[in-house]
Amino acid sequence: MICLDGQEQAEKLVIDNPHKIVDMVDDVEAIKSGNYPPNMPTAEEEIKQRTYDTAHEMYGNPLPLVIEARIEQELKSIISNGFSVIYLVAQRLVAKSNKDGYLVGSRGSVGSSLVALLIGVTEVNALPPHYRSASGDYVEFADPRKYESGYDLPEKFSPIDGTRLIGDGHNIPFATFLGFKGNKVPDIDLNFSGDYQPYAHNYMKSLFGENNVFRAGTIATVADKTAYGYAKAYERENELHLRGAEIDRLATGATGVKRTTGQHPAGILIVPDDMEIYDFTPIQFPADDLSATWKTTHFDFHSIHDNILKMDILGHDDPTMIRALQDMSGIDPHTIPMDDPGVMSLFSSPEVLGVTEEQIMSKTGTLGVPEFGTAFVRGMLEETHPKNYSELLQISGLSHGTDVWRGNADELIKDGVANIGTVIGTRDKIMTDLINYGVQPESAFQIMEKVRKGKGVSEEYQAEMREAGVPEWYIESCFKIKYMFPRAHAAAYVLMALRIAYYKVYFPMLYYAAYFSVRATNFDIVAMSRGLNSTKSKIQEIKQQGNDASAKDKDLLTVLEIANEALERGYDFSMVDLYKSDSEQWIIEGNTLIAPFNSVPGLGDNVAKRIVAARAEGEFLSKEDLAQRGGVSKTLMDFFNENGVLTGMPDENQLALF
């Protein structure tokens, strides 16, 4: 036992000396705080150079003042906040994909940035609607209160050389991407072709080195219902009789507990080359596979999202389908017009396809068109009859929002209070609408931010809106909204959709071949190959199940509806052909699509590829030979027999004696 001699000695030993020891110890961070982007020393200069080079090419030199002001505003925010690296990494990825022949679709609000367009990250032009010449020697801005998209501008010719002018611009404020002060960390999400996604991921290793890029980890936790099941199992196994409150207490304690780790399907984390991943997180191999090509962060990526750069490199069907259509048709998707009358008519009627509503059981021609093919969105089209790009953009925004359409915009349109062009369809439209009414830009931004998050409008802002002449129905609509889609995201989606719709109208056989090869995964090739009556019968069979239909049958219904449309347009489907079918792709032969092997129920990709490989080695001598060399099971052989695939083929190999 230590005896302390007086208060002074006690304070020295208990208070002063421990403080001195603490002061001698450096600050220790188990996990680094702060933001550590990759080291790209010339990023700021390169972003600026690329931006102005493209701007001068598109809009001439000197630039119109409104365009130069927008560029300077954005570059100031991007460079002063250290965001240049994020933009440049995205530029590198998109440029690589485009060079390799695959378009990239942008997601989220990145299309709100003019700089993102000019350096090649997005195809969405955020400027107000305008005309520009292909040579960059003429620019003319339109009234944004009359036209919300440059794609809707009427045809006009250059007063300089008489060439047709290009309509461009979707009037998207930069504030919706980086905030009103331009200091919000940008989140650039990109949709790569699903086929190209692994190459895009690996390209990150080429850019930054294998030891500096990692797949983002995820953590799965125990869900409410699972935790409740654990509590009930505990009660049962221990022969207890617990009250409901105790069961709830035990379940609450287990809810949210880490259950397993996983790998984000798209997220790639980049560590600066002068640091190590261990400065931020431990790492692991997925499924403890030491031979895996990617290592994964052990910490959930949300935990270190603000410390190191994460790029979301997603896989999507639209770029894959467009690449397939481009390869088959030879038509560059960039040359497809966004105001083609035939394509636009699809959204009101199937007449341009040469079929009636009754034949295809749809009042529009948008079956299989991304964003516009579901029953819900087709219902929206039937109520609104959109006629141009900006109205389609509204439909896209309304279909992705929460409490934006049902009980809100749809009622305003039905009652004749508003139309598809004037209702609130996207978050950005709130800001631009209010500015057009005369509300101050910062107030318009703050109102937009509150409304898009479902927080309504304060009394102070309501007064400002009324003073500017904003109608009451508009204010009431703001209060109903729970979530709103970004205009830039909708613009990018509609752009891809119209390209695919163009092929559907003018290159139907190529469209159906691409659709069934890329987007569809569930088939009934027996019904499809037997023609219209069989296909329609299967459609009715699934519809009669109503809500009791399984998810698989609902997915099949979509495929059969598009197959029915193709049949009504005069195209046929063929059962798999042992010597013509591909393993995965639908083959065009005249007006017939030949089914691939993997469309057969229960026949997977590996067996499909094995059949094709065995076929390349030589003709199948018998059913026995096919089963052995192709790895085809008895069940699949029975399917082939029942559907005439093996007609004329002997059961066993014939032994030649002479």
Side-chain angles (χ1 to χ4, degrees), residues 447-499:
I447 293 168
M448 174 192 70
E449 287 294 285
K450 294 289 185 183
V451 172
R452 78 177 182 88
K453 297 174 183 177
K455 296 181 178 179
V457 184
S458 68
E459 291 185 4
E460 179 185 351
Y461 283 134
Q462 286 182 58
E464 190 171 345
M465 291 168 76
R466 290 189 177 99
E467 186 178 346
V470 178
E472 286 299 318
W473 68 260
Y474 196 102
I475 298 172
E476 291 172 9
S477 180
C478 288
F479 276 97
K480 296 178 180 179
I481 293 167
K482 297 294 186 295
Y483 166 76
M484 297 220 70
F485 206 52
R487 184 174 176 83
H489 199 158
Y493 273 5
V494 174
L495 187 65
M496 288 289 192
L498 286 176
R499 286 169 173 162

Coordinates of all heavy atoms in Angstrom, one line a residue, residues 447-499:
I447 N -35.7 24.5 -51.5 CA -37.0 23.9 -51.6 C -36.9 22.6 -52.3 O -37.5 21.6 -51.9 CB -38.0 24.9 -52.4 CG1 -38.2 26.1 -51.6 CG2 -39.3 24.1 -52.7 CD1 -38.9 27.2 -52.3
M448 N -36.1 22.5 -53.4 CA -35.9 21.3 -54.1 C -35.3 20.2 -53.2 O -35.8 19.0 -53.2 CB -35.0 21.5 -55.3 CG -34.6 20.2 -56.0 SD -33.2 20.4 -57.2 CE -31.9 20.7 -56.1
E449 N -34.3 20.6 -52.4 CA -33.7 19.6 -51.5 C -34.6 19.1 -50.5 O -34.6 17.9 -50.1 CB -32.5 20.3 -50.8 CG -31.3 20.5 -51.8 CD -30.7 19.1 -52.2 OE1 -30.0 18.5 -51.4 OE2 -30.9 18.8 -53.4
K450 N -35.5 19.9 -49.9 CA -36.4 19.5 -48.9 C -37.5 18.6 -49.5 O -37.8 17.5 -49.0 CB -37.1 20.7 -48.3 CG -36.2 21.6 -47.4 CD -35.8 21.0 -46.1 CE -35.0 21.9 -45.3 NZ -34.5 21.3 -44.0
V451 N -38.0 19.0 -50.7 CA -39.1 18.2 -51.3 C -38.6 16.8 -51.7 O -39.3 15.8 -51.5 CB -39.7 19.0 -52.5 CG1 -40.7 18.1 -53.3 CG2 -40.4 20.2 -52.0
R452 N -37.4 16.8 -52.3 CA -36.9 15.5 -52.9 C -36.7 14.5 -51.7 O -36.7 13.3 -52.0 CB -35.7 15.7 -53.7 CG -34.4 15.9 -52.9 CD -33.2 16.0 -53.9 NE -31.9 16.1 -53.2 CZ -31.2 15.1 -52.8 NH1 -31.6 13.9 -53.0 NH2 -30.0 15.4 -52.2
K453 N -36.5 15.0 -50.5 CA -36.3 14.1 -49.4 C -37.6 13.8 -48.6 O -37.5 13.2 -47.5 CB -35.2 14.7 -48.4 CG -33.8 14.8 -49.1 CD -32.9 15.5 -48.2 CE -31.5 15.7 -48.9 NZ -30.6 16.5 -48.0
G454 N -38.7 14.3 -49.1 CA -40.0 14.1 -48.5 C -40.2 15.0 -47.3 O -41.0 14.6 -46.4
K455 N -39.6 16.1 -47.2 CA -39.7 17.0 -46.0 C -40.7 18.2 -46.3 O -40.8 19.1 -45.4 CB -38.4 17.5 -45.6 CG -37.4 16.4 -45.1 CD -36.1 16.9 -44.7 CE -35.2 15.8 -44.2 NZ -33.9 16.3 -43.7
G456 N -41.3 18.2 -47.4 CA -42.3 19.3 -47.7 C -41.7 20.7 -47.9 O -40.5 20.8 -48.2
V457 N -42.4 21.7 -47.6 CA -42.0 23.1 -47.8 C -42.3 23.9 -46.6 O -43.5 23.9 -46.1 CB -42.6 23.7 -49.0 CG1 -42.1 25.1 -49.3 CG2 -42.5 22.8 -50.3
S458 N -41.4 24.6 -46.0 CA -41.6 25.4 -44.8 C -42.6 26.6 -45.1 O -42.7 27.0 -46.3 CB -40.3 26.0 -44.3 OG -39.8 27.0 -45.2
E459 N -43.2 27.1 -44.1 CA -44.1 28.2 -44.3 C -43.4 29.4 -45.0 O -44.0 30.1 -45.8 CB -44.8 28.6 -43.0 CG -45.7 27.6 -42.4 CD -46.4 28.1 -41.1 OE1 -46.2 29.2 -40.8 OE2 -47.1 27.2 -40.5
E460 N -42.2 29.7 -44.6 CA -41.4 30.8 -45.1 C -41.3 30.6 -46.6 O -41.5 31.6 -47.4 CB -40.1 30.9 -44.5 CG -39.2 32.0 -45.0 CD -37.8 32.0 -44.4 OE1 -37.6 31.2 -43.4 OE2 -36.9 32.7 -44.9
Y461 N -40.9 29.4 -47.1 CA -40.7 29.2 -48.5 C -42.0 29.1 -49.2 O -42.1 29.5 -50.4 CB -39.9 27.9 -48.7 CG -38.4 28.0 -48.5 CD1 -37.7 27.0 -47.7 CD2 -37.7 29.1 -49.0 CE1 -36.4 27.2 -47.5 CE2 -36.3 29.2 -48.8 CZ -35.7 28.2 -48.0 OH -34.3 28.4 -47.8
Q462 N -43.1 28.6 -48.6 CA -44.4 28.7 -49.2 C -44.8 30.1 -49.5 O -45.3 30.4 -50.6 CB -45.5 28.1 -48.2 CG -45.4 26.6 -48.1 CD -46.5 26.1 -47.2 OE1 -47.7 26.3 -47.4 NE2 -46.1 25.4 -46.1
A463 N -44.5 31.0 -48.6 CA -44.9 32.4 -48.8 C -44.1 33.0 -50.0 O -44.6 33.7 -50.8 CB -44.6 33.2 -47.5
E464 N -42.8 32.6 -50.1 CA -42.0 33.1 -51.2 C -42.5 32.5 -52.5 O -42.5 33.2 -53.5 CB -40.5 32.6 -51.0 CG -39.5 33.3 -51.9 CD -38.1 33.0 -51.5 OE1 -37.8 32.6 -50.4 OE2 -37.2 33.2 -52.4
M465 N -42.9 31.2 -52.5 CA -43.5 30.6 -53.7 C -44.8 31.3 -54.2 O -44.9 31.6 -55.3 CB -43.7 29.1 -53.5 CG -42.4 28.3 -53.3 SD -42.8 26.6 -52.7 CE -43.4 25.8 -54.2
R466 N -45.6 31.6 -53.2 CA -46.9 32.3 -53.5 C -46.7 33.7 -54.0 O -47.3 34.1 -55.0 CB -47.8 32.3 -52.3 CG -48.4 30.9 -51.9 CD -49.4 30.9 -50.9 NE -49.9 29.6 -50.6 CZ -49.5 28.9 -49.6 NH1 -48.6 29.3 -48.7 NH2 -50.0 27.6 -49.4
E467 N -45.7 34.3 -53.4 CA -45.4 35.7 -53.9 C -44.9 35.7 -55.3 O -45.1 36.7 -56.1 CB -44.3 36.3 -53.0 CG -44.1 37.8 -53.2 CD -43.0 38.4 -52.3 OE1 -42.7 37.7 -51.2 OE2 -42.5 39.5 -52.6
A468 N -44.2 34.6 -55.7 CA -43.7 34.6 -57.1 C -44.8 34.1 -58.1 O -44.5 34.0 -59.3 CB -42.5 33.6 -57.2
G469 N -46.0 33.7 -57.6 CA -47.0 33.3 -58.4 C -47.1 31.8 -58.7 O -47.7 31.3 -59.7
V470 N -46.4 31.0 -57.9 CA -46.4 29.5 -58.0 C -47.9 29.1 -57.7 O -48.4 29.4 -56.6 CB -45.4 28.8 -57.1 CG1 -45.5 27.3 -57.2 CG2 -44.0 29.3 -57.5
P471 N -48.5 28.3 -58.5 CA -49.9 27.9 -58.2 C -50.0 27.0 -57.0 O -49.1 26.2 -56.7 CB -50.3 27.2 -59.5 CG -49.1 26.8 -60.2 CD -48.1 27.8 -59.8
E472 N -51.2 26.9 -56.4 CA -51.4 26.1 -55.2 C -51.3 24.7 -55.5 O -50.8 23.9 -54.6 CB -52.8 26.4 -54.6 CG -52.9 27.8 -53.9 CD -52.0 27.9 -52.8 OE1 -51.8 27.0 -52.0 OE2 -51.4 29.0 -52.6
W473 N -51.7 24.2 -56.6 CA -51.6 22.8 -56.9 C -50.1 22.3 -56.9 O -49.8 21.2 -56.5 CB -52.3 22.4 -58.3 CG -51.6 22.9 -59.5 CD1 -52.0 24.0 -60.2 CD2 -50.4 22.4 -60.2 NE1 -51.1 24.2 -61.3 CE2 -50.2 23.2 -61.3 CE3 -49.6 21.3 -60.0 CZ2 -49.1 23.0 -62.2 CZ3 -48.6 21.0 -60.8 CH2 -48.3 21.9 -61.9
Y474 N -49.2 23.2 -57.3 CA -47.8 22.9 -57.4 C -47.3 22.7 -56.0 O -46.5 21.8 -55.6 CB -47.1 24.0 -58.1 CG -45.7 23.6 -58.6 CD1 -45.4 23.3 -59.9 CD2 -44.6 23.6 -57.7 CE1 -44.2 22.9 -60.3 CE2 -43.3 23.3 -58.1 CZ -43.1 23.0 -59.4 OH -41.8 22.6 -59.8
I475 N -47.7 23.7 -55.1 CA -47.2 23.6 -53.7 C -47.8 22.4 -53.0 O -47.0 21.7 -52.3 CB -47.7 24.9 -52.9 CG1 -47.0 26.1 -53.6 CG2 -47.3 24.8 -51.5 CD1 -47.5 27.5 -53.1
E476 N -49.0 22.1 -53.2 CA -49.6 20.9 -52.6 C -49.0 19.6 -53.1 O -48.8 18.6 -52.4 CB -51.1 20.8 -53.0 CG -51.9 21.9 -52.3 CD -53.4 22.0 -52.8 OE1 -53.8 21.0 -53.5 OE2 -54.1 22.9 -52.4
S477 N -48.6 19.6 -54.4 CA -47.9 18.4 -54.9 C -46.6 18.2 -54.2 O -46.2 17.0 -54.0 CB -47.7 18.6 -56.5 OG -47.0 17.5 -57.0
C478 N -45.9 19.3 -53.9 CA -44.6 19.2 -53.2 C -44.7 18.4 -51.9 O -43.8 17.7 -51.5 CB -44.0 20.6 -53.0 SG -43.4 21.4 -54.5
F479 N -45.8 18.6 -51.2 CA -46.0 18.0 -49.9 C -46.2 16.5 -49.9 O -46.0 15.8 -49.0 CB -47.2 18.7 -49.2 CG -46.8 20.0 -48.4 CD1 -47.0 21.2 -49.0 CD2 -46.2 19.9 -47.2 CE1 -46.6 22.4 -48.4 CE2 -45.9 21.1 -46.5 CZ -46.1 22.3 -47.1
K480 N -46.7 16.0 -51.1 CA -47.0 14.6 -51.2 C -45.8 13.8 -51.5 O -45.7 12.6 -51.3 CB -48.0 14.4 -52.3 CG -49.4 15.0 -52.0 CD -50.4 14.8 -53.1 CE -51.7 15.4 -52.9 NZ -52.7 15.2 -54.0
I481 N -44.7 14.4 -52.1 CA -43.6 13.7 -52.6 C -42.7 13.2 -51.5 O -42.4 13.9 -50.5 CB -42.7 14.6 -53.5 CG1 -43.5 15.0 -54.8 CG2 -41.4 14.0 -53.9 CD1 -43.0 16.1 -55.6
K482 N -42.2 11.9 -51.6 CA -41.3 11.3 -50.6 C -39.9 11.1 -51.2 O -38.9 11.1 -50.5 CB -41.9 9.9 -50.2 CG -43.2 9.9 -49.5 CD -43.1 10.6 -48.2 CE -44.5 10.6 -47.4 NZ -45.5 11.3 -48.1
Y483 N -39.8 10.9 -52.5 CA -38.5 10.8 -53.1 C -38.6 11.2 -54.6 O -39.6 10.9 -55.2 CB -37.9 9.3 -53.0 CG -36.8 9.1 -53.9 CD1 -35.5 9.5 -53.6 CD2 -36.9 8.4 -55.1 CE1 -34.4 9.3 -54.5 CE2 -35.9 8.2 -56.0 CZ -34.6 8.7 -55.7 OH -33.6 8.5 -56.5
M484 N -37.5 11.8 -55.1 CA -37.5 12.2 -56.5 C -36.3 11.8 -57.2 O -35.2 11.8 -56.7 CB -37.7 13.8 -56.6 CG -38.9 14.3 -56.0 SD -39.6 15.6 -57.1 CE -40.1 14.7 -58.5
F485 N -36.4 11.5 -58.5 CA -35.4 11.0 -59.4 C -34.6 12.2 -59.9 O -35.2 13.2 -60.3 CB -36.0 10.2 -60.5 CG -35.1 9.1 -61.1 CD1 -34.4 8.2 -60.3 CD2 -34.9 9.0 -62.5 CE1 -33.6 7.2 -60.9 CE2 -34.2 8.1 -63.1 CZ -33.5 7.2 -62.3
P486 N -33.3 12.1 -60.1 CA -32.5 13.2 -60.8 C -32.9 13.3 -62.3 O -33.0 12.3 -62.9 CB -31.1 12.8 -60.5 CG -31.1 11.6 -59.6 CD -32.4 11.0 -59.7
R487 N -33.0 14.5 -62.7 CA -33.2 14.7 -64.2 C -32.1 14.2 -65.0 O -32.4 13.6 -66.1 CB -33.4 16.2 -64.4 CG -33.8 16.6 -65.8 CD -34.1 18.1 -65.9 NE -34.4 18.5 -67.3 CZ -35.6 18.4 -67.9 NH1 -36.6 17.9 -67.2 NH2 -35.8 18.8 -69.1
A488 N -30.9 14.3 -64.6 CA -29.8 13.8 -65.4 C -29.8 12.3 -65.6 O -29.5 11.8 -66.6 CB -28.4 14.2 -64.7
H489 N -30.2 11.6 -64.5 CA -30.3 10.1 -64.5 C -31.4 9.7 -65.5 O -31.2 8.8 -66.4 CB -30.6 9.6 -63.1 CG -30.3 8.1 -63.0 ND1 -30.1 7.6 -61.7 CD2 -30.2 7.1 -63.9 CE1 -29.9 6.3 -61.9 NE2 -29.9 6.0 -63.2
A490 N -32.6 10.4 -65.4 CA -33.7 10.1 -66.3 C -33.3 10.4 -67.8 O -33.6 9.7 -68.7 CB -34.9 11.0 -66.0
A491 N -32.5 11.5 -68.0 CA -32.1 11.9 -69.4 C -31.2 10.8 -70.0 O -31.3 10.5 -71.1 CB -31.4 13.2 -69.3
A492 N -30.3 10.3 -69.2 CA -29.4 9.2 -69.6 C -30.2 8.0 -70.0 O -29.9 7.3 -71.0 CB -28.3 8.9 -68.6
Y493 N -31.1 7.6 -69.1 CA -31.9 6.4 -69.4 C -32.8 6.5 -70.6 O -32.9 5.6 -71.4 CB -32.8 6.1 -68.2 CG -32.2 5.3 -67.1 CD1 -30.9 4.9 -67.1 CD2 -33.0 4.9 -66.0 CE1 -30.3 4.2 -66.1 CE2 -32.4 4.2 -64.9 CZ -31.1 3.8 -65.0 OH -30.5 3.1 -64.0
V494 N -33.4 7.7 -70.8 CA -34.2 7.9 -72.0 C -33.4 7.9 -73.3 O -33.8 7.3 -74.3 CB -35.0 9.2 -71.9 CG1 -35.8 9.5 -73.2 CG2 -36.0 9.1 -70.7
L495 N -32.2 8.4 -73.2 CA -31.3 8.4 -74.3 C -31.0 7.0 -74.8 O -31.1 6.6 -76.0 CB -30.0 9.1 -73.9 CG -28.9 9.3 -75.0 CD1 -29.4 10.3 -76.1 CD2 -27.6 9.9 -74.4
M496 N -30.7 6.1 -73.9 CA -30.5 4.7 -74.2 C -31.7 4.0 -74.7 O -31.7 3.2 -75.7 CB -29.9 3.9 -73.0 CG -28.5 4.3 -72.6 SD -27.3 3.6 -73.8 CE -25.8 3.9 -72.9
A497 N -32.9 4.3 -74.1 CA -34.1 3.7 -74.5 C -34.5 4.1 -75.9 O -35.0 3.2 -76.7 CB -35.2 4.1 -73.5
L498 N -34.3 5.3 -76.3 CA -34.7 5.7 -77.6 C -33.8 5.1 -78.7 O -34.3 4.8 -79.8 CB -34.7 7.3 -77.8 CG -35.8 8.0 -77.1 CD1 -35.6 9.5 -77.1 CD2 -37.1 7.7 -77.7
R499 N -32.6 4.9 -78.4 CA -31.7 4.2 -79.3 C -32.2 2.8 -79.6 O -32.2 2.3 -80.7 CB -30.2 4.2 -78.8 CG -29.6 5.6 -78.9 CD -28.3 5.6 -78.1 NE -27.5 6.8 -78.3 CZ -26.5 7.3 -77.5 NH1 -26.2 6.6 -76.5 NH2 -25.9 8.4 -77.8

